[in-house]
Amino acid sequence: MIYDVNVYLSQWPFRRLPNDDTASLVRKLKQNQIQQALAGSFDGLLHKDLMSVNQRLVTECQTKGEGILVPVGSINPRLPGWEADVIACHEKWKMPGIRLHPNYHEYELSDPAAKKLFALAAERGLFIQIAMRMEDERTHHPLVRVPDVNFEALPGLMKQHEQMQVTILNGMKSLRGAKLTRLTENPNLTIEIAMLEEVGGIEKLMKQVPYQQILFGSYYPFFYLESSLNKLRESQLGQEIETKIIWENAQERFVPKQT
């Protein structure tokens, strides 16, 4: 069983991707033993009406997700009335978390709006995913050049909300050394492997980050699903650690406990 914390529905704004319709995407996930996947929407990057974006996401997950897709709503704290989007994600659609794209929405994690967003998510018990980047800067459309998210303020935000779970998506191409160490000092901060490079990359990453804070993510369909699966085969993890990374770490953090 594999729990994929990083997939996207709808269409990438700048080109068509293979299997970017929900039915084909789910078929591919099932063929590769993905039993649960946290799904955001590419529409959340550039669309202004995020209530509609999130409604479409929920509908796709419910009607075509075959029990695999878990919708994770897009929130932009720079838009008027964004608090209503958070409330809808939580109360109306029963989402377990939200997904942020601060670089595409032009705010810093140090901004007052981000602090308010974190507080509202913490109050409602929602996890937060933050995408550091969406594509290599060398392939950006010339009119849409988007820098990586700056995570300098993230440890302070998380310290204010000690129970909050935060995952950095698409961060492993840029996060290295002291920056990564500082972020992962908080045990509630997790990272996923979609942009991790090098043969044996997970083994090398585990020298810096506890395996309990490493998750399986594919960034499918932007990346080939097989790319992340091969990263598991390239590293000698042992069955216990591999099971934690591909299923149990996410299950323990993101699946609501039954009361």
Side-chain angles (χ1 to χ4, degrees):
M1 298 189 297
I2 301 176
Y3 198 125
D4 191 336
V5 301
N6 184 12
V7 305
Y8 278 83
L9 304 189
S10 194
Q11 295 176 8
W12 176 244
F14 304 105
R15 61 183 172 90
R16 292 300 303 268
L17 303 172
N19 297 320
D20 64 1
D21 65 285
T22 305
S24 297
L25 180 142
V26 169
R27 192 180 308 116
K28 183 75 169 181
L29 295 178
K30 290 176 66 177
Q31 289 170 352
N32 289 277
Q33 289 73 55
I34 310 296
Q35 293 205 352
Q36 204 86 84
L38 299 179
S41 174
F42 283 132
D43 294 346
L45 299 179
L46 302 179
H47 289 216
K48 292 184 177 181
D49 183 1
L50 291 185
M51 187 72 77
S52 295
V53 168
N54 292 331
Q55 175 64 78
R56 291 195 301 273
L57 174 66
V58 169
T59 300
E60 287 290 294
C61 290
Q62 290 178 343
T63 60
K64 302 176 184 177
E66 299 189 31
I68 293 175
L69 300 179
V70 178
V72 180
S74 297
I75 303 295
N76 180 357
R78 292 199 63 193
L79 293 177
W82 64 267
E83 296 93 340
D85 293 332
V86 176
I87 293 170
C89 288
H90 179 228
E91 296 184 5
K92 181 178 180 181
W93 298 310
K94 311 301 182 186
M95 294 181 183
I98 55 178
R99 188 170 290 185
L100 309 182
H101 303 92
N103 45 358
Y104 280 82
H105 296 158
E106 296 187 304
Y107 66 91
E108 297 288 338
L109 294 178
S110 57
D111 291 353
K115 296 179 182 178
K116 187 176 181 181
L117 172 55
F118 267 68
L120 184 56
E123 176 187 321
R124 292 174 171 272
L126 299 171
F127 65 74
I128 290 180
Q129 297 186 315
I130 308 172
M132 183 172 188
R133 58 165 53 183
M134 299 301 286
E135 63 177 326
D136 191 298
E137 64 273 10
R138 294 169 294 183
T139 63
H140 286 179
H141 189 286
L143 297 179
V144 187
R145 299 191 181 279
V146 185
D148 286 351
V149 173
N150 182 348
F151 286 111
E152 188 172 339
L154 183 57
L157 280 174
M158 293 187 66
K159 194 172 183 180
Q160 296 174 34
H161 309 289
E162 294 185 353
Q163 302 304 312
M164 173 174 284
Q165 297 289 335
V166 176
T167 302
I168 295 176
L169 307 180
N170 301 340
M172 287 297 90
K173 186 171 177 63
S174 302
L175 286 176
R176 293 285 190 276
K179 289 183 178 179
L180 180 58
T181 299
R182 180 167 178 259
L183 288 170
T184 54
E185 284 176 352
N186 189 322
N188 290 337
L189 189 286
T190 47
I191 56 177
E192 53 81 38
I193 64 171
M195 290 195 177
L196 182 65
E197 297 181 344
E198 300 181 279
V199 175
I202 300 178
E203 286 180 90
K204 296 174 184 176
L205 179 61
M206 284 168 47
K207 295 177 181 178
Q208 193 170 0
V209 179
Y211 68 83
Q212 294 90 342
Q213 291 171 253
I214 302 173
L215 306 173
F216 179 88
S218 65
Y219 191 28
Y220 188 67
F222 193 95
F223 283 175
Y224 290 114
L225 182 56
E226 291 81 3
S227 176
S228 285
L229 294 169
N230 285 336
K231 290 166 189 171
L232 299 171
R233 303 184 183 105
E234 291 170 352
S235 291
Q236 302 299 315
L237 302 176
Q239 187 61 51
E240 181 179 351
I241 291 177
E242 181 173 311
T243 300
K244 294 289 288 187
I245 290 173
I246 66 174
W247 181 261
E248 292 180 359
N249 290 342
Q251 185 82 359
E252 291 167 3
R253 292 170 184 268
F254 304 139
V255 176
K257 303 295 187 293
Q258 298 296 323
T259 58

